[in-house]
Amino acid sequence: MTQRTRLTDAGIMRLKPGCKDYTVWDTVTPGLGVRVRTSGFRGYVFHERGQGSSRRLSLGPVTLKGVQDARKECLSFQLDGIGGEARTGTTPASCVPLFQDYVADPWMAGHSSRWKPSTLEFVRSHLRCQLLPAFGHLRLDRITRAGVQAWFDRRSVEAPGNANKGLALLRRIMNHAVSSGLVSVNPAKRIRMNPRPRLTRFLSAEEIVRLHEALDECVAERPVWEQQADILRLLLYTGCRKSEIKDLKWSEVEGGTLRLADSKTGPRTVCLSAYARAVIERQRRGNGPFVFPSHVNPARPYGGKLALWYRIRERAGLAGVRLHDTRHTYASQAVMKGIPLPVVARLLGHRQMRMTMRYAHVGDREVVEAAERIGAAISTLLDGPD
């Protein structure tokens, strides 16, 4: 139901967040309202109706201006009518917030409640380290394509991958500003990202054997490394992401499957091989909830950085192989065994097939053997029956 009342400064401050966002419209000034988000953020909005079209403008948080100032801004829009600023689609400078203010209130308040903790930490980190130092002091309409390009070029010299992530985040924020009517174009839209290196590294059959031999040797030398070694083995046996194994709970282990309550793509089921089940079954079950608990606090998951991986990698002669390449290896082995890509996608927990295609590599030897088989089949057809 539409809520209408005579807006006052005191009444606005008494508005409480609900289970979903809602708007309270002013009975004095047509089109003026206060948007109340589930996070508690309250901001003025102006719903402008024209001939055959309408748009909603954000006038900023209620903490920065009173209701009388908001009414004056709405009146200026109405006086402009179909000409001037209302027709050109621009917003007066007095209504355009600084980038840091826009990010802190309307944008973060409207999105952060839907993010996972890891996503929230990612966004805060890139804002703090990249975007706010570069653009925080600028009004949204003062952020230009040339300025974004110059920032991106500087960041790309130091860390091209990180620059790509910062640019993608900036695009999302500015797209939201465009849809809110605060700016007319997104200055980060047409800037080309740095090319990503092709991720084609996976372990061959011989390398997998060397990896396991190195694991056995290290555990024999220092039994304290057994927990790390078993985490590494499970990564290879299941194709799971590192966090999915490190944070694994006993409640998620159900016989021959793992029913992960929360992964990168949401809840999913992982089928375990006999080798994977053996690794889990030999873990000592204490009072804590985690299969691989912290040695300091058993109530928390293992929090180390799996430093054993670098020792194992060197001993097995696998220089340059990343821990995440165990996931590539799992997918590649599946493809080389003839498992269809849709099934591989389910095994990896991918929502989109194109992600699976990035992981599902095959080795040169397998390609050569496949070419030989195809050639032999064609030759048989050409030669005809004996």
Side-chain angles (χ1 to χ4, degrees):
M1 176 181 288
T2 302
Q3 299 185 51
R4 297 185 181 276
T5 187
R6 179 187 176 90
L7 292 177
T8 63
D9 293 333
I12 291 172
M13 299 310 295
R14 287 195 296 268
L15 296 175
K16 302 297 183 182
C19 57
K20 61 181 181 179
D21 296 350
Y22 67 93
T23 303
V24 178
W25 298 100
D26 189 23
T27 57
V28 177
T29 303
L32 175 63
V34 173
R35 185 71 169 167
V36 182
R37 301 194 180 274
T38 55
S39 62
F41 170 79
R42 298 180 292 266
Y44 292 110
V45 294
F46 176 59
H47 193 186
E48 181 185 38
R49 293 181 175 86
Q51 295 181 349
S53 63
S54 65
R55 65 171 180 166
R56 183 173 293 185
L57 303 177
S58 173
L59 305 184
V62 300
T63 54
L64 298 183
K65 67 185 73 175
V67 67
Q68 290 300 331
D69 293 329
R71 289 193 176 111
K72 291 178 182 178
E73 290 181 10
C74 294
L75 180 61
S76 69
F77 288 142
Q78 294 165 343
L79 292 177
D80 285 335
I82 62 171
E85 292 171 320
R87 184 178 60 197
T88 61
T90 59
T91 303
S94 60
C95 298
V96 181
L98 297 178
F99 180 81
Q100 60 189 13
D101 294 334
Y102 182 73
V103 167
D105 281 329
W107 191 75
M108 284 288 285
H111 293 78
S112 58
S113 61
R114 303 193 297 268
W115 291 335
K116 294 181 179 180
S118 58
T119 303
L120 182 60
E121 178 57 30
F122 167 85
V123 170
R124 285 175 173 169
S125 175
H126 281 271
L127 285 172
R128 181 176 63 252
C129 299
Q130 293 198 62
L131 300 184
L132 291 180
F135 307 108
H137 63 289
L138 297 175
R139 282 201 332 245
L140 292 176
D141 58 348
R142 296 298 185 185
I143 301 176
T144 64
R145 186 181 187 280
V148 174
Q149 184 70 66
W151 161 80
F152 183 69
D153 290 343
R154 290 194 302 271
R155 290 291 304 170
S156 297
V157 173
E158 304 171 1
N162 233 24
N164 283 349
K165 294 176 182 178
L167 180 62
L169 180 58
L170 180 61
R171 284 178 179 172
R172 291 171 58 189
I173 296 171
M174 296 306 296
N175 275 338
H176 191 269
V178 171
S179 64
S180 299
L182 295 173
V183 293
S184 57
V185 295
N186 184 341
K189 183 177 181 179
R190 299 189 181 279
I191 295 177
R192 182 175 298 179
M193 289 191 174
N194 298 307
R196 297 180 60 177
R198 294 185 63 84
L199 304 176
T200 58
R201 186 65 168 100
F202 63 98
L203 301 180
S204 66
E206 294 81 4
E207 289 175 326
I208 293 175
V209 172
R210 296 207 308 267
L211 174 64
H212 276 275
E213 289 175 348
L215 284 169
D216 292 339
E217 292 172 1
C218 285
V219 172
E221 293 172 4
R222 294 191 63 183
V224 71
W225 284 336
E226 184 175 7
Q227 185 184 55
Q228 289 191 54
D230 282 345
I231 293 175
L232 296 175
R233 287 190 174 98
L234 268 185
L235 290 176
L236 184 61
Y237 292 156
T238 63
C240 285
R241 302 174 180 90
K242 181 174 67 173
S243 60
E244 294 171 345
I245 297 301
K246 289 178 63 177
D247 298 343
L248 182 64
K249 296 180 180 179
W250 286 112
S251 60
E252 297 172 318
V253 180
E254 296 185 10
T257 61
L258 302 180
R259 300 195 181 277
L260 303 180
D262 188 24
S263 68
K264 186 177 181 180
T265 55
R268 75 180 185 99
T269 300
V270 178
C271 296
L272 300 175
S273 66
Y275 290 102
R277 291 197 300 271
V279 172
I280 293 177
E281 288 169 359
R282 66 170 173 253
Q283 304 307 310
R284 291 181 290 274
R285 190 159 188 168
N287 297 325
F290 296 100
V291 177
F292 299 103
S294 165
H295 294 299
V296 178
N297 182 2
R300 299 181 61 84
Y302 178 81
K305 295 184 177 181
L306 297 178
L308 178 62
W309 169 253
Y310 301 100
R311 182 183 295 268
I312 294 295
R313 187 177 67 175
E314 181 180 355
R315 179 171 295 194
L318 302 175
V321 176
R322 304 167 310 154
L323 185 58
H324 195 67
D325 291 330
T326 57
R327 188 165 161 84
H328 289 247
T329 300
Y330 183 85
S332 299
Q333 287 294 317
V335 171
M336 287 188 283
K337 296 303 180 183
I339 298 175
L341 281 178
V343 178
V344 178
R346 287 199 61 183
L347 289 171
L348 296 177
H350 284 160
R351 289 178 178 173
Q352 299 178 348
M353 191 66 67
R354 61 182 178 84
M355 286 299 298
T356 308
M357 293 295 294
R358 290 183 58 217
Y359 281 75
H361 314 298
V362 294
D364 294 338
R365 186 172 63 187
E366 286 76 15
V367 172
V368 171
E369 291 176 354
E372 289 291 345
R373 291 196 300 270
I374 295 170
I378 294 174
S379 298
T380 302
L381 293 174
L382 295 177
D383 295 338
D386 293 337

